[in-house]
Amino acid sequence: MSEQLVIEPARFAREGRKLAGRLAVDALPRLAEAVQPGSGEVSYEISGFITSKGHIGLRLSVSAAVGLVCNRCLEGLTQQLDSSREIVLVPGADEFAQPEDESDTEDIIPEVARLDIRELVEDELLLAMPLAAHHDECAAPDVSGEDPLSAARLSPFAALSRLKKD
C-alpha cells in the first residue's frame, strides 16, 4: 500500500501551505470500485488559508479522467471529473447542520487534528461523478425483447388457437 497523505489542517492553514500531486485511481478503493479498471490517475491540489472569521480553511481542486459505462448503450466512455471546493473546519461543527450562509462550493466540517488527503480527494471525486453516465450521442440498445429471427417462427400458442376454431 502507498504512503499515507495526512496533514495537520490547523498548521497547514496557518502556514498557508500548498500540496499538489497525483494518485493512482487504484489507490482510492471506493472510487476504483465505481469506475472501470485501469482508469489512470487523479491530480489534486490543496492549499490552506484562514477565513475572515478565523477558521481553518482548505481549497481543494481535483481532476481525473475515469472510465465509466454509458447507461444508454452500455459501452465504455471516458468521463472527465473536475471539482473545486473550499472546506472550512469549525470546532464543534455538526456534520449535518447547514449554515444559512454556506455557499455551493464551501463545506463546513468539524475541525480535526489530522486529515487524510487521500480520503478527501476520493470523497470529492465520488461527489463529482455523474448519476447516470452517458455519451452525448449514442444508439440505445434494442430492448423491445423481440428477436428479429423469431418473427418467422411459429408461436407455441398457434396450436391452441387451432383447437379453439375446431
Side-chain angles (χ1 to χ4, degrees):
M1 183 166 202
S2 53
E3 68 180 77
Q4 284 282 97
L5 289 171
V6 179
I7 63 169
E8 295 175 19
R11 186 169 147 196
F12 192 84
R14 272 195 311 275
E15 295 173 0
R17 294 180 59 196
K18 292 183 180 190
L19 179 65
R22 295 184 174 277
L23 297 169
V25 170
D26 295 338
L28 307 170
R30 293 176 294 145
L31 182 64
E33 189 177 301
V35 300
Q36 296 293 309
S39 282
E41 287 188 329
V42 172
S43 62
Y44 67 91
E45 185 175 317
I46 187 166
S47 60
F49 67 97
I50 302 295
T51 68
S52 60
K53 295 181 182 178
H55 297 299
I56 299 164
L58 301 172
R59 282 187 189 92
L60 174 66
S61 294
V62 295
S63 180
V66 296
L68 299 174
V69 175
C70 175
N71 285 348
R72 291 181 185 159
C73 68
L74 304 179
E75 296 293 323
L77 75 110
T78 301
Q79 179 77 45
Q80 182 65 37
L81 304 176
D82 295 305
S83 183
S84 295
R85 184 159 314 276
E86 286 188 358
I87 300 164
V88 178
L89 290 90
V90 178
D94 181 3
E95 283 187 78
F96 302 107
Q98 288 192 326
E100 294 169 15
D101 61 343
E102 183 179 25
S103 74
D104 288 341
T105 60
E106 180 183 88
D107 286 327
I108 296 176
I109 63 173
E111 186 175 340
V112 293
R114 298 173 60 79
L115 188 63
D116 186 347
I117 299 301
R118 189 178 318 259
E119 286 182 15
L120 193 62
V121 167
E122 186 175 30
D123 288 344
E124 192 60 33
L125 286 168
L126 287 169
L127 290 170
M129 286 184 59
L131 292 176
H134 58 84
H135 294 103
D136 290 335
E137 291 185 27
C138 62
D142 182 20
V143 292
S144 65
E146 288 184 23
D147 181 8
L149 299 176
S150 68
R153 292 187 207 151
L154 190 57
S155 169
F157 297 104
L160 291 175
S161 72
R162 279 185 299 203
L163 287 174
K164 186 177 176 187
K165 290 180 183 177
D166 292 340

